Amino acid sequence: LGDQVMAAMGLCIPVTYLGTAVSGIFSTGTQTQCASAVGNGDTEEATRCFNTSLGILCMVGVALAALILILADPISVLLGAKGEQANLKSDLFLYLHGIGISIPFICLTNTLSSLLYIEGKRRIALIAIAAGTAVNIAGDLSAAFVFKAGMLGIGLATALCYIVSSVILLVQFTGKRGKNSAMHVQPSAFSPKSFGKIFKVGCTMAFVRICHMLRTWIINSILAAWFT
């Protein structure tokens, strides 16, 4: 793939951390609140927390994806594609358009996989992540060597990876599989009032992941300045 492609992918790592930071609020907060509600026998509260978290998570994820796609050019510069590294801008721009689509699905994958642990379905969570990883590897190889799709194709392969994982996970909370669980998709249970507790508990994890994102961005900026 070449040094330039690998460098562009490295610069884009903070974008992935952004998705995990957002999902940190929902995964930690929802897991805690749902487990507490189920433990107290309040299945209705668990259902409300789950559906509220899922609904707001999807809206936030889509909004972030839209911002990344719209602002891909200035984001490329912010991530380090400037000065002596300006030659990375075109590759980074294309990769952002591919991977930007994955943000809502990164959020869903991280959140839903953590909730499956409450349900005692750890194996399914691992299967979903393994399937996504296999799709990512196959997609990257196909994009690079078969379709010659470049950075856009590699970014889309990453997005497809998370789409596959999130669909496998979401199925566990719908239909017959989710019918007997307090955490099942039920749009009518959406209640914004429940989000306050989720947000309060999840902020700590989100803060940690945001720090990781900033650390990676700072290191990339220092290295870019050092070697140019």
Side-chain angles (χ1 to χ4, degrees):
L1 296 177
D3 294 340
Q4 184 168 317
V5 170
M6 299 306 296
M9 292 177 67
L11 289 177
C12 204
I13 290 176
V15 175
T16 305
Y17 277 141
L18 175 62
T20 59
V22 172
S23 65
I25 296 175
F26 295 88
S27 60
T28 305
T30 307
Q31 188 179 40
T32 302
Q33 292 302 314
C34 286
S36 176
V38 170
N40 293 328
D42 191 351
T43 56
E44 290 186 1
E45 177 61 20
T47 303
R48 280 194 297 270
C49 285
F50 173 76
N51 283 276
T52 300
S53 177
L54 192 64
I56 296 178
L57 176 64
C58 289
M59 289 186 280
V60 171
V62 169
L64 287 174
L67 284 174
I68 291 171
L69 295 176
I70 294 170
L71 302 175
D73 190 76
I75 290 175
S76 297
V77 176
L78 181 64
L79 290 174
K82 55 187 176 181
E84 295 293 329
Q85 302 296 323
N87 61 320
L88 300 176
K89 187 175 180 181
S90 59
D91 283 333
L92 188 53
F93 178 84
L94 291 173
Y95 189 59
L96 281 171
H97 274 80
I99 200 172
I101 299 171
S102 71
I103 296 299
F105 301 101
I106 289 175
C107 296
L108 279 174
T109 298
N110 290 338
T111 301
L112 294 178
S113 61
S114 69
L115 293 177
L116 278 180
Y117 280 76
I118 300 178
E119 297 285 280
K121 299 178 180 178
R122 178 181 178 181
R123 186 173 63 88
I124 295 175
L126 294 175
I127 290 173
I129 294 172
T133 301
V135 168
N136 194 15
I137 294 172
D140 284 345
L141 292 174
S142 298
F145 301 111
V146 179
F147 300 107
K148 308 295 183 183
M151 291 298 288
L152 178 60
I154 293 174
L156 289 174
T158 300
L160 182 59
C161 150
Y162 286 105
I163 291 172
V164 169
S165 293
S166 61
V167 168
I168 293 174
L169 293 169
L170 188 59
V171 166
Q172 306 305 314
F173 299 94
T174 59
K176 293 181 179 180
R177 289 184 176 85
K179 186 176 180 181
N180 298 322
S181 170
M183 292 180 290
H184 60 274
V185 176
Q186 184 181 325
S188 61
F190 181 84
S191 175
K193 294 180 180 179
S194 300
F195 184 64
K197 297 178 181 179
I198 296 172
F199 183 79
K200 183 178 180 180
V201 174
C203 271
T204 302
M205 181 58 69
F207 177 76
V208 171
R209 291 178 178 175
I210 288 173
C211 288
H212 290 167
M213 178 184 71
L214 292 174
R215 179 192 62 189
T216 304
W217 175 70
I218 291 170
I219 291 174
N220 284 340
S221 298
I222 292 173
L223 291 175
W226 183 269
F227 291 104
T228 55

